[in-house]
Amino acid sequence: DSGVTQTPKHLITATGQRVTLRCSPRSGDLSVYWYQQSLDQGLQFLIQYYNGEERAKGNILERFSAQQFPDLHSELNLSSLELGDSALYFCASSAGDVDTQYFGPGTRLTVL
Amino acid sequence: QKEVEQDPGPLSVPEGAIVSLNCTYSNSAFQYFMWYRQYSRKGPELLMYTYSSGNKEDGRFTAQVDKSSKYISLFIRDSQPSDSATYLCAMNPWGTGANNLFFGTGTRLTVIP
């Protein structure tokens, strides 16, 4: 158990809908990262927050947004969902912004 | 061309075999190299990380980096059925946990008892 928690474990929704994925980092970790894992693309970095502020952006679509709250948990919002958004979404956390990343168990999103 | 290439396998070996997993990369700015293990339906777990060219050993695992060839390897000695998982290489220019980890697509390994 990495200490990173993610909810929900599974999410099934329809195209055009909006969902929110939640992540709680390990105790004391200030950085949160979001990744998308699909069969054809592998693990793709989406975005990083450090102590509430956006630190880096990867291949995150404009339909996706994230934030990190004062208690350091983070949410990833996915809107106008498309079939191609079906994937595993992982959250990772690290103590600072240059430290080892620890991954959560992931949220499996299925868009029908 | 992807920045990190990894043979997806699958790779199937008998228990006790030596396993070699490999990745190549194109970005010469990459300085930090990691190997993650991912069991089915679980999140990736960091196995090893290294910065410099050469070998780093941890128990049955050895990570090897050749920056001149842009090639990294993970060797598993005396492989066990519990090693059956997908192995992901990852790298970035700044640090083990810094933003923008670039991952390979993963190699699925099965160790047969």
Side-chain angles (χ1 to χ4, degrees), chain A:
Chain A
D1 185 354
S2 67
V4 179
T5 60
Q6 289 186 250
T7 57
K9 281 188 179 179
H10 304 279
L11 203 48
I12 301 175
T13 188
T15 55
Q17 295 299 303
R18 173 190 168 95
V19 297
T20 297
L21 281 52
R22 182 187 170 103
C23 168
S24 293
R26 293 187 321 153
S27 177
D29 282 0
L30 298 178
S31 267
V32 169
Y33 310 76
W34 287 97
Y35 291 86
Q36 180 191 59
Q37 187 176 41
S38 57
L39 280 174
D40 57 341
Q41 292 291 322
L43 262 168
Q44 300 277 315
F45 168 76
L46 295 177
I47 197 165
Q48 178 200 4
Y49 279 83
Y50 176 76
N51 203 20
E53 293 190 2
E54 183 183 302
R55 182 60 64 111
K57 240 179 197 181
N59 300 321
I60 188 167
L61 299 171
E62 284 192 11
R63 301 183 285 109
F64 296 1
S65 65
Q67 54 183 328
Q68 186 179 27
F69 294 88
D71 66 354
L72 300 176
H73 90 271
S74 178
E75 293 181 355
L76 179 67
N77 301 295
L78 315 176
S79 61
S80 303
L81 285 167
E82 301 174 0
L83 295 177
D85 297 328
S86 295
L88 269 167
Y89 290 85
F90 286 104
C91 168
S93 75
S94 67
D97 62 354
V98 290
D99 302 299
T100 303
Q101 291 186 29
Y102 295 89
F103 282 77
T107 292
R108 182 174 294 275
L109 174 65
T110 302
V111 182
L112 301 175

